[in-house]
């Protein structure tokens, strides 16, 4: 039996949980823990330049690996700086453990220096949070934090650790808890067999089916099962922004993304479907548009591990609560034993209809109306040069939508973006978290000149730890997505969406010791991308100037149905 | 519709704020709230009343169930149940009103638990509806102070909310 201080127990538990990297920033209340970190070398700590970035790094790693990312910060401002990152992870159900130091127990409540109620502040944006009351509880509480973060519907868990809990001179017996149990937390392990049978029957009878899958399929490690199911049935499949990669993006049965900026065919197919199988998706408002007009003819089967996601915004006819992998496995078994879809003629004309829709708007855009490069062609070039095999992170705005639309993800966990919260500043640190853990992979952050400046200080961290991500800045010199809404809804009154005084990003990258390249014309684009990829061990910042007038299409018409869309600046369905 | 939701909650600090926070965060309203320890020192029992259509109440119960410290939950209004609210009320009792208020207390089977020359302190137990009715009945007298416990409830018959 080892006798350890609270601080040493924190670090030892991380070791025993197999945590390789943690991301953080020190300060008074965290110093005992930082000292324990210093005296070992198994858990590696990455010093960020802003705590928000630490959470996004942990988050990026978690999204790529499926394992919880770990963050360590000090009390007060250190803790509050993590809130945006915690909320980002919470909204997208990402497993994360955030250790926030706290002032000593006897100071709590006295408005002590750097005291802030982290339990209260984080409460609405965590899956759960704990405060350590006795040092000897540290191993079990941290184990519970990992357990809660990564099971059921995953999410961030905060553990608030008052400084006296980690005092170096008080030692306690340490054992690694092999497992923990909570009487009030028992995630479901299987779906209801009767409901799954009902779902199978409905699926086989469908004439105009669509399979709509979301981030839950990726989080639940069920992408290959989903793919098998879609292929077995021969039905069309669409993914949400969070679900891209769960079904191969280059497959002929794939309709593309659905929703606000979804493809014409995906939104049309949804609206006209007679059956929708929703898997690990939550009928978010950015998908459904006006729920009162949502898919009027469709019966809905909804599989989700979180019962609260079912029938929240759109009523499910066949709700199935359970982990997507086990439910899909059972569903597949039933479908394999069946005689197959019962309406082949109807399905044939359904596909014919879908192919018609595909012809109408196959994600086209015009390159002839401006000398400037179009953001879409930049993403297509990236896709070709990287052979569709990069980890692509993104920020929030037009560039994010273009990346989602034009980079075809054939594999899950490769498209990493803040879908639910829409956090500008997410993409770059997320890319760093991935690159650090997958050093042999190509990791590209597709960003905009607005978003990148929200965490640009991390260029410094990349230098310190040699994190050679590629930054593809689609520089349209404006908060493009805001500008697009102003064009469409406010007669082009561009209120505060124009970014004046942009820095020279090339010089900025160089100032931080990296490589910067400006790309202003079409013929420079592919060579610049190739050069960036060839410089494997350097961070390369590609500042690509694109047409600021470009809009993202399709775009659903607000408050209407799935199938009411703008297809270009002048064309409406 | 009005619902009475009763919860067994881990008896830990912060647990209550999660329940209350959930309501304000998601825009649900709490009409009454009552919390107290149970025979099991690790559990408290919380009972709240809320209003909403079936979809809203279904969401409320699902979201409550997701809270890690919610151990068990029942919507008492789904079945036969007993509900009780306790009210302590101070009423001005002078002149003719002294007898009038006393009569009301008797009719409603309340008790006068304290008195001065000019004030009755009355205790009344019953459904919220009954307490509301009493308040209306004595409204001619001057009501000086009202303290209500909020609804507490339990199902009738064999049904039991326990671990
Ligand atoms: C932290 C944060 N603040 C504000 C917004 C609102 N917002 C959404 S997109 C956008 C513009 C983003 O500009 P840029 O990064 O240059 O991307 P572009 O749309 O030009 O491609 C803004 C301000 C947000 N999503 N996140
Ligand atoms: Mg921009």
């Amino acid at each position: 039996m080892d006798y350890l201080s609270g601080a040493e127990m924190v670090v030892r538990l991380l070791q025993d949980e197999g945590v390789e990297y943690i991301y953080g920033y020190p300060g008074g209340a965290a110093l005992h823990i930082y000292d324990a970190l210093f005296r070992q070398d198994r858990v590696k700590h990455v010093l960020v330049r802003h705590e928000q970035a630490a959470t996004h790094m942990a988050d990026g790693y978690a999204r790529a690996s499926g394992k919880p990312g770990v963050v360590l910060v000090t009390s007060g401002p250190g803790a509050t700086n993590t809130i945006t990152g915690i909320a980002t992870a919470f909204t997208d159900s990402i497993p994360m453990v955030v250790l926030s130091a706290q002032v000593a127990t006897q100071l709590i409540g006295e408005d002590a220096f750097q005291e802030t109620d982290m339990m209260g502040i984080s409460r609405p944006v965590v899956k759960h949070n704990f405060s350590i009351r006795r040092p000897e509880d540290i191993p079990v509480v941290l184990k519970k934090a990992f357990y809660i973060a990564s099971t059921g519907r995953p999410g961030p868990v905060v553990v608030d650790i008052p400084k006296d809990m980690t005092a170096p001179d008080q030692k306690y017996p340490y054992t690694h808890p092999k497992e923990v149990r909570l009487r009030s937390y028992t995630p479901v392990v299987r779906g209801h067999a009767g409901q799954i049978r009902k779902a199978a029957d409905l699926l086989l009878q469908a004439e105009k089916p669509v399979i709509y899958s979301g981030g839950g399929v990726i989080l639940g490690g069920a992408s290959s099962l989903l793919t098998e199911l879609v292929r077995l049935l021969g039905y069309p499949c669409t993914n949400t922004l969070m679900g891209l990669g769960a079904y191969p993006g280059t497959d002929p049965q794939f309709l593309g993304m659905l929703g606000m900026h979804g493809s014409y065919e995906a939104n049309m197919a949804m609206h006209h479907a007679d059956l929708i199988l929703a898997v690990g998706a939550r009928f978010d408002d950015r998908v459904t548009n006006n729920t009162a007009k949502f898919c009027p003819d469709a019966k809905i089967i909804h599989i989700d591990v979180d019962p609260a996601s079912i029938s929240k915004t759109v009523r499910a006819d066949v709700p199935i609560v359970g982990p997507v992998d086990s439910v899909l496995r059972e569903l597949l078994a039933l479908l394999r034993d069946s005689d197959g879809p019962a309406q082949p003629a109807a399905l044939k004309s359904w596909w014919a209809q879908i192919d018609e829709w595909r012809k109408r708007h196959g994600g086209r855009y015009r390159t002839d109306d401006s000398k400037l490069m179009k953001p879409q062609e930049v993403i297509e070039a990236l896709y070709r040069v990287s052979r569709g095999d990069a980890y692509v992170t993104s920020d929030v705005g037009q560039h994010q939508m273009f990346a989602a639309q034009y980079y075809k993800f054939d594999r899950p966990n490769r498209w990493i973006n803040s879908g639910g919260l829409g956090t500008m500043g997410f993409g770059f640190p997320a890319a760093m978290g991935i690159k650090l853990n997958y050093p042999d992979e190509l990791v590209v952050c597709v960003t905009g000149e607005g978003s990148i400046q929200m965490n640009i200080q991390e260029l410094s961290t990349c230098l310190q730890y040699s994190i050679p991500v590629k930054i593809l800045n689609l520089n349209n010199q404006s908060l493009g997505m805001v500008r697009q809404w102003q064009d469409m809804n406010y007669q082009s009154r561009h209120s505060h969406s124009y970014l004046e005084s942009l820095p020279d990003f090339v010089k900025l990258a160089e100032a931080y010791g990296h490589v910067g390249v400006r790309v202003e014309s079409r013929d420079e684009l592919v060579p610049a991308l190739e050069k960036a990829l060839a410089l494997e061990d350097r961070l390369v910042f590609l500042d690509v100037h694109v047409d600021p007038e470009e809009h993202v299409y399709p775009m659903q018409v607000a408050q209407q149905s799935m199938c009411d869309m703008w297809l270009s600046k002048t064309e409406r369905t | 519709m009005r619902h009475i939701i009763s919860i067994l909650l881990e008896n830990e600090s912060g647990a209550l704020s999660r329940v209350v926070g959930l309501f304000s965060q998601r825009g649900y309203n709490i009409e009454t709230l009552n919390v107290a320890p149970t025979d099991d020192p690790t559990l408290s029992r919380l009972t709240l009343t809320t209003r909403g259509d079936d979809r809203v109440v279904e969401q409320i119960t699902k979201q409550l169930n997701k809270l890690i410290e919610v151990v068990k939950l029942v919507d008492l209004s789904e079945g036969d149940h007993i509900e009780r609210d306790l009210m302590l009320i101070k009423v001005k009792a002078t002149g003719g009103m002294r007898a009038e208020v006393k009569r009301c207390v008797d009719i409603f089977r309340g008790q006068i638990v304290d008195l001065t020359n000019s004030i009755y302190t009355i205790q009344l137990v019953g459904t919220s509806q009954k307490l509301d009715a009493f308040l209306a009945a004595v409204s001619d007298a001057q009501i000086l102070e009202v303290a209500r416990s909020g609804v507490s409830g339990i199902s009738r018959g064999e049904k039991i909310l326990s671990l």
Side-chain angles (χ1 to χ4, degrees):
Chain A
M1 175 91 55
D2 290 330
Y3 280 77
L4 303 178
S5 73
E8 288 163 344
M9 286 197 283
V10 170
V11 176
R12 173 70 79 81
L13 188 113
L14 296 179
Q15 292 178 350
D16 290 345
E17 288 295 303
V19 175
E20 188 180 358
Y21 285 105
I22 64 172
Y23 318 91
Y25 211 90
L31 287 183
H32 295 327
I33 302 175
Y34 269 88
D35 191 56
L37 272 176
F38 188 84
R39 289 181 281 107
Q40 56 88 53
D41 55 11
R42 275 171 61 196
V43 176
K44 288 171 250 167
H45 177 273
V46 177
L47 178 71
V48 290
R49 300 300 181 262
H50 186 296
E51 289 88 349
Q52 184 189 343
T55 57
H56 295 328
M57 280 188 84
D59 183 324
Y61 162 69
R63 289 177 202 241
S65 69
K67 297 190 195 120
V70 183
V71 174
L72 172 62
V73 294
T74 192
S75 65
T80 54
N81 271 350
T82 64
I83 293 297
T84 300
I86 294 172
T88 303
F90 181 65
T91 320
D92 288 342
S93 312
I94 305 303
M96 181 186 288
V97 173
V98 177
L99 309 175
S100 61
Q102 182 56 278
V103 300
T105 314
Q106 74 273 14
L107 293 175
I108 290 180
E110 295 187 356
D111 303 317
F113 177 63
Q114 295 195 329
E115 178 191 354
T116 187
D117 176 15
M118 184 57 172
M119 295 292 287
I121 292 175
S122 64
R123 197 196 63 231
V125 293
V126 292
K127 185 169 173 188
H128 194 57
N129 57 16
F130 292 100
S131 167
I132 303 281
R133 297 291 155 86
R134 304 182 313 160
E136 54 269 44
D137 293 344
I138 286 175
V140 169
V141 171
L142 288 194
K143 181 79 188 182
K144 281 183 185 168
F146 277 92
Y147 170 62
I148 292 171
S150 50
T151 49
R153 179 176 179 177
V157 177
V158 164
V159 184
D160 206 39
I161 312 178
K163 188 168 185 180
D164 52 317
M165 298 294 117
T166 56
D169 51 351
Q170 289 156 36
K171 308 271 181 177
Y172 305 87
Y174 171 87
T175 45
H176 180 221
K178 286 286 164 289
E179 55 172 17
V180 282
R181 294 186 55 204
L182 289 98
R183 63 178 173 184
S184 56
Y185 175 72
T186 39
V188 279
V189 290
R190 287 189 61 171
H192 187 280
Q195 293 290 89
I196 298 176
R197 175 157 293 285
K198 251 194 231 165
D201 292 344
L202 277 179
L203 276 167
L204 292 168
Q205 289 305 323
E207 301 190 351
K208 300 179 192 176
V210 177
I211 295 170
Y212 142 55
S213 95
V217 172
I218 295 175
L219 292 165
S223 302
S224 55
L225 288 163
L226 174 84
T227 306
E228 216 181 314
L229 180 103
V230 174
R231 290 199 172 136
L232 180 72
L233 288 168
Y235 292 172
C237 177
T238 175
N239 288 162
T240 67
L241 178 66
M242 292 308 299
L244 293 174
Y247 190 80
T250 54
D251 187 279
Q253 278 170 253
F254 188 56
L255 303 185
M257 180 169 79
L258 81 169
M260 181 175 276
H261 294 296
S263 75
Y264 178 71
E265 53 268 35
N267 287 345
M268 293 298 278
M270 284 290 288
H271 185 80
H272 293 94
D274 70 347
L275 180 76
I276 291 169
L277 170 65
V279 193
R282 59 187 178 92
F283 294 85
D284 176 82
D285 55 286
R286 285 297 191 265
V287 159
T288 60
N289 209 357
N290 185 345
T291 49
K293 299 180 181 170
F294 178 74
C295 303
D297 306 325
K299 277 215 161 20
I300 292 171
I301 306 167
H302 191 177
I303 306 171
D304 204 286
V305 73
D306 176 10
S309 282
I310 296 180
S311 298
K312 180 173 64 180
T313 60
V314 171
R315 191 136 208 80
D317 297 289
V318 183
I320 305 175
V321 179
V324 283
D325 58 345
S326 92
V327 174
L328 285 180
R329 209 169 284 122
E330 289 183 44
L331 192 54
L332 266 167
L334 293 177
L335 294 172
R336 274 199 219 95
D337 283 350
S338 74
D339 300 332
Q343 312 290 345
L347 290 167
K348 207 166 160 225
S349 48
W350 179 230
W351 271 114
Q353 171 68 77
I354 288 171
D355 287 334
E356 280 306 306
W357 287 328
R358 276 177 162 157
K359 275 184 219 147
R360 170 124 194 237
H361 189 91
R364 65 201 144 76
Y365 56 92
R366 291 175 57 158
T367 51
D368 55 351
D369 59 346
S370 104
K371 275 207 243 27
L372 288 161
M373 265 178 294
K374 295 289 179 173
Q376 297 94 322
E377 58 182 310
V378 180
I379 303 294
E380 290 191 315
L382 171 69
Y383 177 69
R384 284 193 307 274
V385 172
S386 65
R387 296 188 191 83
D389 201 30
Y391 283 83
V392 178
T393 75
S394 137
D395 274 297
V396 179
Q398 292 183 321
H399 62 272
Q400 173 193 28
M401 292 302 133
F402 290 133
Q405 290 176 335
Y406 290 92
Y407 202 100
K408 309 280 174 223
F409 294 92
D410 278 336
R411 284 194 272 169
N413 309 91
R414 299 233 151 197
W415 163 241
I416 310 283
N417 85 131
S418 165
L421 199 69
T423 307
M424 289 171 69
F426 170 83
F428 177 30
M432 291 162 60
I434 299 167
K435 183 68 185 173
L436 198 64
N437 287 277
Y438 300 94
D440 299 330
E441 300 283 345
L442 171 62
V443 184
V444 182
C445 168
V446 174
T447 185
E449 76 304 310
S451 295
I452 190 66
Q453 291 190 83
M454 286 212 177
N455 268 315
I456 193 127
Q457 75 286 345
E458 298 307 318
L459 284 170
S460 172
T461 311
C462 288
L463 184 66
Q464 180 172 356
Y465 298 95
S466 302
I467 309 176
V469 298
K470 313 299 171 198
I471 296 172
L472 183 62
N473 186 33
L474 295 185
N475 191 338
N476 54 9
Q477 291 144 68
S478 66
L479 303 176
M481 189 55 96
V482 172
R483 182 188 163 107
Q484 172 168 350
W485 284 51
Q486 291 169 337
D487 284 341
M488 296 175 77
N489 304 323
Y490 301 89
Q491 288 86 47
S492 296
R493 290 187 296 278
H494 296 150
S495 177
H496 302 276
S497 58
Y498 175 65
L499 287 176
E500 286 173 319
S501 318
L502 282 174
D504 180 332
F505 286 110
V506 172
K507 279 195 190 144
L508 187 70
E510 287 168 0
Y512 278 105
H514 304 302
V515 179
V517 180
R518 183 172 299 109
V519 182
E520 275 163 332
S521 69
R522 218 160 251 139
D523 44 318
E524 295 168 354
L525 177 63
V526 169
L529 282 166
E530 283 168 346
K531 176 183 165 188
L533 268 52
L535 288 171
E536 281 180 11
D537 50 4
R538 298 297 299 277
L539 184 152
V540 183
F541 192 118
L542 290 178
D543 184 29
V544 184
H545 288 243
V546 295
D547 185 357
E549 303 289 331
E550 192 60 20
H551 284 182
V552 183
Y553 293 110
M555 180 167 181
Q556 283 174 337
V557 180
Q559 291 310 315
Q560 299 303 316
S561 73
M562 286 291 293
C563 69
D564 294 304
M565 289 169 269
W566 286 99
L567 299 178
S568 72
K569 285 186 186 172
T570 51
E571 195 186 349
R572 225 187 110 157
T573 51
Chain B
M1 206 188 111
R2 175 171 174 269
H3 289 256
I4 307 173
I5 295 172
S6 214
I7 298 172
L8 289 180
L9 196 63
E10 293 287 0
N11 186 8
E12 275 168 29
S13 78
L16 177 61
S17 68
R18 288 180 216 280
V19 173
V20 177
L22 182 100
F23 276 75
S24 59
Q25 193 182 326
R26 293 187 181 267
Y28 310 139
N29 78 308
I30 299 183
E31 275 184 4
T32 71
L33 175 68
N34 166 289
V35 204
T38 63
D39 57 323
D40 177 344
T42 67
L43 288 175
S44 3
R45 179 155 177 150
L46 180 154
T47 303
L48 59 85
T49 55
T50 184
R51 269 174 207 283
D53 61 28
D54 288 352
R55 220 186 74 177
V56 170
V57 174
E58 182 183 326
Q59 259 302 302
I60 291 176
T61 54
K62 283 174 168 180
Q63 295 292 352
L64 282 169
N65 264 316
K66 270 172 72 173
L67 295 177
I68 307 283
E69 282 153 342
V70 167
V71 186
K72 277 237 162 113
L73 179 154
V74 64
D75 183 348
L76 290 172
S77 21
E78 277 179 352
D80 286 343
H81 63 277
I82 297 156
E83 80 166 88
R84 290 292 179 268
D85 197 347
L86 180 145
M87 177 162 69
L88 295 169
I89 168 171
K90 281 190 176 176
V91 183
K92 189 109 180 197
T94 48
M97 284 323 270
R98 212 162 163 89
E100 176 61 26
V101 170
K102 173 77 170 70
R103 205 163 30 244
C104 280
V105 171
D106 291 342
I107 291 168
F108 279 83
R109 293 174 197 274
Q111 289 163 281
I112 296 174
V113 290
D114 190 29
L115 77 171
T116 68
N117 287 341
S118 58
I119 291 174
Y120 282 152
T121 302
I122 301 154
Q123 170 186 307
L124 195 66
V125 176
T127 62
S128 301
Q129 229 182 344
K130 171 175 163 179
L131 304 196
D132 292 342
F134 179 78
L135 285 173
V138 296
S139 62
D140 284 346
Q142 196 186 345
I143 295 171
L144 301 167
E145 188 178 344
V146 175
R148 287 170 74 156
S149 64
V151 172
S152 169
I154 205 157
S155 352
R156 282 191 186 275
E158 308 268 299
K159 237 181 127 188
I160 280 164
L161 180 67
S162 72
L163 288 191

